[in-house]
Structures are given as C-alpha cells and as structure tokens.
Amino acid sequence: MRYSLASAAGKGRINEDVVAVFEGDGCTDLVLLDGATPLTDDRCLALGASDPAWFVRRFVRELGCVLRPDAEQHTLVQEALDGTRAAYRAAGGSADVPPHAWPIATLAWVRVRDPDAAGTHALEWFCLGDSKVLLQLADGTVRDLDPFENPQERATQAHVAELVAEGIHDPAERWARLLPMLRARRQEQNTAARPAVLCLEPRGPFDARAARGEAPPGALLLVASDGLYRLVDTYNLYTDASLLDACRTRGLDALLDELRAFEAGKEAAGLAAKTADDASAIAWRFT
C-alpha cells in the first residue's frame, strides 16, 4: 500500500486523535486531527468518549461528505465545521459552557493530486495548530512543509521544568498546577478573532497555514501529531531526517512502540505536561 496509518492513545487515556484517508477522483486527501485534552471534568455531550474525541470524529465525517477536488481547502473546512457545529448543538452542546471547556483540535490536511506524466504529485496543504508535515526526498533531503513554532508548547515545557526543579514529580500535581495557565490559553484560542486552531465558534477566518508543493518519485511524506513528534522535539531521540529514515525502514507501528517504551522509562519523567500523549501519523510513499 502506498500509505500507512497509525494512531494510539496515551497511557490510560481516550484517543482524541483521528487519522483518515479519502481517495477521490484525481486526488487523495490525508487528514490528521489532534483533539486537545479537556481541561474540565464537565461534559457538554453525552455522545462519544469525550467532547474532543466527538469533535474530531464528527468533523472528519462532515469533511468526507463535502469533499470536492475542485474546491479550496479553506472552503471545505468551513463547510465541514458548519455541519459539525449544527450536530454539536443538536446533541446538546450549550452556549453556557465556559470557553475553556469548548473542544479544539489541530488539523493537518494534505491533498495529494494524481501524478503527472513524470510521476510527480502536486501537493496542497492546510494546517492549524502544531502537527508536523515533513517530506523526505529520495536523496535523504528533508523539507519541513509547514515550519511552525508553538510558543505555548515551549512555555508549557518551561513551566513543567520549573515545577520539577521545585521537587514536584507527581504528574497529577504538576497538571493541577498547570491548569490555570492552560485554561486561560484555551479560552484565548476559542475566542480569537483569527483562530490558529480548529474550533467550534470561530470569530473570524482561521489563521491557517496553506501552501502548495510537489513530491517527486521516491519521496516520503509524513504527517504526524505532536504526540508522535515528541520523538524529535521533546525526547531528542531522532532528528527529522532520522525519523523519516526509521519510518521508511521500520514503519509507523515500530515508532509508536519505541515512543511508548521511552515514555514508560525514567528518562521521560518531567519532560512534558502529560506523561504520554495521543500519537498519530500518516505516511505516504511516492513510487
């Protein structure tokens, strides 16, 4: 198969990621969503495993219903979101819920056009949040198709390091100390004039990163959630290039196994707010 998928929940958690591939006339759509961890025990909806899990799955369902190869990605996102919002309200989503409790998600969507006569595929991508989109050429060169530095994640990691330095090693206690900061950030994300994440009630157009490119024969495309990308930017077990090399030679499931094995050890303690995050990816080999 030219593509492979992987998705796994963090330890003891609900998987609030979703990966999907839609094969259509003239193109294939690769979609990865990473629902943000709830910051309250209260639920808006009785449906699904959690509000974020419901949100990402419903959005993907709605997107699959509206996909058209001749439509712009931002247009289709809005159409899918309209359907998702209507379903949320019909299922009991209430405007009385505080904004820090509304579900949000990252979205990484790569549209792969069918190849031209030379075997080159045109790519179009639309990204919200901090998932990664990497392309490795046949010679090993790696291109970060969506370079993005998440300042909030860096601030959270710095705060976690301060708590560890204070001697707070219990993950539950660290999470409780982080919660006010995280809730303030979630409210800001849900009420922004130009949201940088996928949210239910955007006040204006999304501040998405959208671009086009090409993938020649022999290239490998990796779309990964930040949970899987911890192998690079949090745990420093890989570089972008070595991660893609391992993806080629060992596959996504082996990388997930390595991630979980590392997170189960002492070396990972205190490196992130959550001891293990949901981790997901889509890999496409261009032959």
Side-chain angles (χ1 to χ4, degrees):
M1 182 177 285
R2 55 187 171 179
Y3 63 82
S4 57
L5 312 174
S7 186
K11 182 179 179 181
R13 299 187 64 249
I14 297 163
N15 189 354
E16 289 156 347
D17 288 1
V18 66
V19 290
V21 176
F22 298 98
E23 298 191 45
D25 183 17
C27 66
T28 301
D29 292 291
L30 314 179
V31 182
L32 185 151
L33 289 112
D34 177 358
T37 301
L39 301 181
T40 175
D41 293 332
D42 297 329
R43 293 282 305 277
C44 297
L45 307 177
L47 304 174
S50 71
D51 288 351
W54 179 93
F55 178 48
V56 296
R57 283 156 180 74
R58 184 69 192 212
F59 178 85
V60 162
R61 174 180 165 183
E62 296 291 338
L63 184 63
C65 292
V66 302
L67 281 176
R68 304 181 301 280
D70 58 341
E72 296 290 337
Q73 287 172 291
H74 68 87
T75 299
L76 297 173
V77 166
Q78 289 292 347
E79 291 179 11
L81 187 61
D82 289 344
T84 304
R85 187 186 310 109
Y88 178 80
R89 290 172 177 166
S94 171
D96 295 333
V97 176
H100 72 254
W102 298 347
I104 64 170
T106 70
L107 169 62
W109 171 12
V110 180
R111 172 161 277 185
V112 181
R113 299 287 180 179
D114 288 353
D116 62 18
T120 297
H121 294 256
L123 305 178
E124 302 154 23
W125 56 93
F126 181 100
C127 299
L128 291 163
D130 58 0
S131 295
K132 295 298 294 185
V133 183
L134 302 172
L135 184 71
Q136 185 183 50
L137 303 182
D139 65 2
T141 302
V142 175
R143 297 175 181 169
D144 186 345
L145 299 186
D146 178 43
F148 175 69
E149 185 78 14
N150 186 345
Q152 178 62 21
E153 181 61 25
R154 298 304 176 199
T156 300
Q157 290 180 359
H159 200 165
V160 169
E162 291 172 3
L163 294 174
V164 171
E166 288 180 30
I168 300 174
H169 299 288
D170 177 59
E173 186 177 356
R174 286 204 306 266
W175 182 256
R177 290 278 297 272
L178 288 168
L179 204 52
M181 178 187 73
L182 297 175
R183 285 180 172 175
R185 173 58 175 163
R186 184 70 52 84
Q187 176 154 336
E188 177 186 334
Q189 290 172 306
N190 267 313
T191 58
R194 287 181 57 84
V197 295
L198 188 70
C199 59
L200 273 169
E201 300 280 356
R203 303 301 201 252
F206 286 111
D207 188 16
R209 304 176 302 279
R212 299 171 185 264
E214 293 182 341
L220 173 67
L221 176 73
L222 179 67
V223 183
S225 70
D226 65 338
L228 184 78
Y229 197 66
R230 283 185 178 196
L231 287 167
V232 176
D233 75 340
T234 305
Y235 304 142
N236 296 311
L237 299 177
Y238 288 91
T239 64
D240 287 348
S242 63
L243 180 71
L244 285 157
D245 287 341
C247 183
R248 282 184 187 273
T249 58
R250 297 167 51 215
L252 292 177
D253 288 339
L255 287 172
L256 274 175
D257 289 344
E258 182 178 357
L259 172 71
R260 297 308 185 211
F262 182 82
E263 289 175 330
K266 295 181 179 179
E267 297 90 344
L271 294 179
K274 292 178 284 189
T275 55
D277 197 5
D278 304 334
S280 304
I282 307 171
W284 180 298
R285 295 171 179 263
F286 297 91
T287 56

